[in-house]
Amino acid sequence: MQADAMCRIEARMISNHQGGVVLMLRDFTERYRVEQKLWRMAYYDARSGLPNLDMIRDLLTASVSRAAGAERMVAVLRIELLGLESVPRMLGMEGQEKFLRACTEHLLSVAKACRPERIAEPDMAIGRVSDSGFVILLDGLLERAEIDDFATTLQQRLVGSCPLGRYQVDVDARAGAAVYPGDDMDGCQLLEKAEMAMRQAASSDVAFYSTEIRRRTDTQDAMVDALRLAID
């Protein structure tokens, strides 16, 4: 039997006049591997290996629950990498995959370098939620200044040239941030508000959610809806 095999031992009493016990050894290694594979497919992005949107939502819900009892803050940073769409034209789909991996590694490296010293690595999660979109969760923050410094420094370090083989590809990014409990008490709403803030951010900039950003977003959405009705 393999060293990493998953087994279960069951004991059953024999119901005859002799009595005794029967031990049954069941090997469910393959079933466990299939379940783990399906779980990873459901909660991780296949291209980058990072948590996907569903996993990020679960992690954020857990972070908000912990923060509520500890009177701490949770920050959600929504990041959009700009320029990915130009890579396929330069190097084809294989080049896009390589560039995505390079950008993912660059983002992970920069985020770890910018992480507040008090925040342990398990308290920071990074996920991929769209083709060029990423989310960073910071758990256990005590001051808003920590969030501001992290988001601003991260944004500045992300922008620049990313090596891709013998090429150098210019990378730009915009970001939006929302904070528990100031901006919302619900994890899913925090994600939505971080997205709103990002949509209002200029290239190479970071925007923090506010009531003004909500107003501008609602106005823009209303204009788009009106235009669609006019076209129909």
Side-chain angles (χ1 to χ4, degrees):
M1 184 175 293
Q2 297 179 0
D4 60 348
M6 305 292 294
C7 300
R8 180 170 60 200
I9 298 177
E10 297 179 355
R12 295 183 180 179
M13 298 295 296
I14 298 176
S15 59
N16 58 26
H17 65 280
Q18 295 180 344
V21 177
V22 174
L23 293 179
M24 299 179 62
L25 182 65
R26 293 187 177 182
D27 183 353
F28 59 98
T29 306
E30 188 60 30
R31 175 181 173 183
Y32 175 79
R33 289 174 179 169
V34 170
E35 289 175 348
Q36 288 296 302
K37 183 178 180 179
L38 292 174
W39 178 83
R40 187 163 186 86
M41 289 173 62
Y43 288 104
Y44 282 83
D45 174 59
R47 295 176 66 192
S48 67
L50 296 176
N52 63 15
L53 182 57
D54 289 333
M55 174 62 89
I56 286 295
R57 284 173 176 157
D58 288 349
L59 293 173
L60 183 53
T61 298
S63 293
V64 167
S65 179
R66 289 193 301 269
E71 296 184 353
R72 294 186 176 184
M73 293 184 290
V74 177
V76 180
L77 193 64
R78 175 71 167 84
I79 301 167
E80 194 78 16
L81 296 181
L82 308 174
L84 283 178
E85 67 281 353
S86 66
V87 176
R89 292 195 296 269
M90 296 170 53
L91 303 173
M93 294 306 297
E94 183 179 353
Q96 185 186 35
E97 292 297 320
K98 291 180 179 179
F99 184 53
L100 174 61
R101 288 194 294 271
C103 286
T104 299
E105 292 172 2
H106 179 54
L107 174 61
L108 291 170
S109 175
V110 171
K112 290 178 181 179
C114 297
R115 186 181 73 240
E117 293 182 0
R118 272 194 325 95
I119 303 301
E121 190 166 339
D123 292 329
M124 183 176 71
I126 303 175
R128 180 170 180 254
V129 297
S130 67
D131 285 346
S132 56
F134 297 82
V135 169
I136 297 179
L137 306 183
L138 280 178
D139 192 354
L141 298 162
L142 295 177
E143 299 177 359
R144 178 62 184 254
E146 293 177 311
I147 304 167
D148 296 349
D149 291 344
F150 173 82
T152 302
T153 305
L154 178 79
Q155 173 65 27
Q156 292 171 349
R157 295 187 182 183
L158 277 178
V159 176
S161 183
C162 182
L164 183 59
R166 57 193 177 94
Y167 296 93
Q168 290 288 329
V169 182
D170 291 333
V171 177
D172 201 350
R174 59 176 180 170
V179 182
Y180 167 91
D183 295 327
D184 210 288
M185 306 290 284
D186 178 77
C188 291
Q189 289 298 312
L190 283 173
L191 276 171
E192 181 180 329
K193 290 178 177 179
E195 174 90 17
M196 285 184 196
M198 185 205 70
R199 287 168 55 191
Q200 296 297 328
S203 175
S204 304
D205 195 12
V206 56
F208 293 87
Y209 178 80
S210 65
T211 53
E212 174 60 19
I213 282 181
R214 181 79 200 209
R215 185 192 66 78
R216 291 205 304 262
T217 300
D218 289 344
T219 299
Q220 291 169 358
D221 289 345
M223 291 175 63
V224 171
D225 290 340
L227 182 60
R228 286 173 178 166
L229 287 174
I231 293 175
D232 293 339

